[in-house]
Amino acid sequence: SQKIEQNSEALNIQEGKTATLTCNYTNYSPAYLQWYRQDPGRGPVFLLLIRENEKEKRKERLKVTFDTTLKQSLFHITASQPADSATYLCALRRSSASKIIFGSGTRLSIRP
Amino acid sequence: EPEVTQTPSHQVTQMGQEVILRCVPISNHLYFYWYRQILGQKVEFLVSFYNNEISEKSEIFDDQFSVERPDGSNFTLKIRSTKLEDSAMYFCASSFKDAGRNSPLHFGNGTRLTVT
């Protein structure tokens, strides 16, 4: 069956360090992969999208990589700040479908 | 910045009752979605909607569920006879293009449905 796994339920790191979150998938051939941020009691907010033919995408302090051989995406936040504390969701769309499927998320806490 | 709005923010209903959750998507968006999130669990796809019809639906979206775009601005999710396990946060989302054309989803802040 198709699965999206975000390896860590929770990640706790020191302010200023780089946070790295992992998204692995099985039995998918995604056309692209997206990352969203979700704060408690709020809807997900889109951050970045990377296509299957792209290796890396950057936006300010955020970087996403996409390895279709390993079936993995890494999401990095550099110079992390307490305001980056949230749950981060990876999301995939299969080539033949219109729906976007979400992973279970990684709860990131940045301590001052 | 335009946003997706959902009402009510919290709905409490008794088992067996019908509920209608309302959403106003972003005005120039063409594709509409409902997702749900049971407390502590992942965001789950329910249904996508385009051109006044359902594009795709999940196995969760059974005969108890229906969606409608009754006018040019609202998008509703109806649950005909609620069950305890329908208690969840329901998110509406919209996108300008099909999610299949790399368009990100814009989510509302959800309606928390509590079935007692």
Side-chain angles (χ1 to χ4, degrees):
Chain A
S1 65
Q2 294 159 336
K3 272 190 189 176
I4 306 169
E5 287 181 345
Q6 295 190 242
N7 291 25
S8 309
E9 262 194 38
L11 189 62
N12 200 327
I13 67 166
Q14 183 78 44
E15 181 177 6
K17 302 287 187 190
T18 296
T20 298
L21 285 63
T22 306
C23 176
N24 294 291
Y25 58 92
T26 54
N27 297 324
Y28 264 106
S29 296
Y32 60 83
L33 186 146
Q34 300 180 348
W35 284 89
Y36 288 77
R37 169 183 172 140
Q38 187 176 27
D39 290 285
R42 314 278 285 186
V45 174
F46 171 75
L47 295 174
L48 274 173
L49 176 154
I50 186 165
R51 295 178 177 79
E52 59 184 333
N53 60 352
E54 295 176 320
K55 294 277 190 236
E56 182 179 297
K57 202 76 167 285
R58 290 176 187 261
K59 180 182 173 184
E60 297 171 356
R61 295 185 295 111
L62 308 181
K63 183 177 90 171
V64 172
T65 62
F66 193 10
D67 188 326
T68 54
T69 304
L70 290 179
K71 296 186 183 296
Q72 181 181 81
S73 174
L74 299 179
F75 177 80
H76 306 272
I77 305 175
T78 57
S80 59
Q81 303 164 0
D84 295 327
S85 299
T87 296
Y88 291 85
L89 312 174
C90 83
L92 294 178
R93 185 195 72 85
R94 291 201 320 272
S95 301
S96 59
S98 65
K99 65 186 180 187
I100 290 178
I101 305 297
F102 286 84
S104 53
T106 296
R107 190 171 64 252
L108 176 66
S109 298
I110 309 296
R111 60 181 187 276
Chain B
E1 182 170 324
E3 56 183 31
V4 175
T5 56
Q6 290 187 244
T7 55
S9 56
H10 193 178
Q11 173 91 47
V12 181
T13 189
Q14 287 194 322
M15 199 166 54
Q17 295 296 304
E18 174 184 288
V19 293
I20 298 176
L21 309 183
R22 301 179 192 280
C23 170
V24 179
I26 294 173
S27 62
N28 64 343
H29 284 189
L30 303 174
Y31 296 83
F32 313 111
Y33 310 85
W34 284 100
Y35 284 78
R36 80 170 186 192
Q37 187 173 32
I38 294 169
L39 189 63
Q41 297 187 25
K42 67 163 106 178
V43 176
E44 299 177 288
F45 172 80
L46 292 178
V47 67
S48 58
F49 190 86
Y50 168 71
N51 201 26
N52 279 321
E53 59 183 31
I54 290 173
S55 311
E56 196 165 356
K57 60 183 181 180
S58 72
E59 55 276 8
I60 302 168
F61 194 89
D62 62 21
D63 292 344
Q64 293 299 313
F65 291 87
S66 62
V67 289
E68 197 176 34
R69 188 151 163 82
D71 53 41
S73 58
N74 290 285
F75 181 50
T76 62
L77 174 70
K78 183 194 290 187
I79 309 175
R80 267 181 262 286
S81 177
T82 50
K83 304 189 279 276
L84 293 176
E85 54 265 37
D86 293 328
S87 295
M89 184 76 99
Y90 287 80
F91 291 110
C92 172
S94 67
S95 65
F96 178 62
K97 297 177 186 174
D98 184 358
R101 297 187 188 280
N102 301 336
S103 188
L105 300 181
H106 296 257
F107 283 85
N109 279 324
T111 293
R112 179 167 297 287
L113 177 65
T114 303
V115 182
T116 61

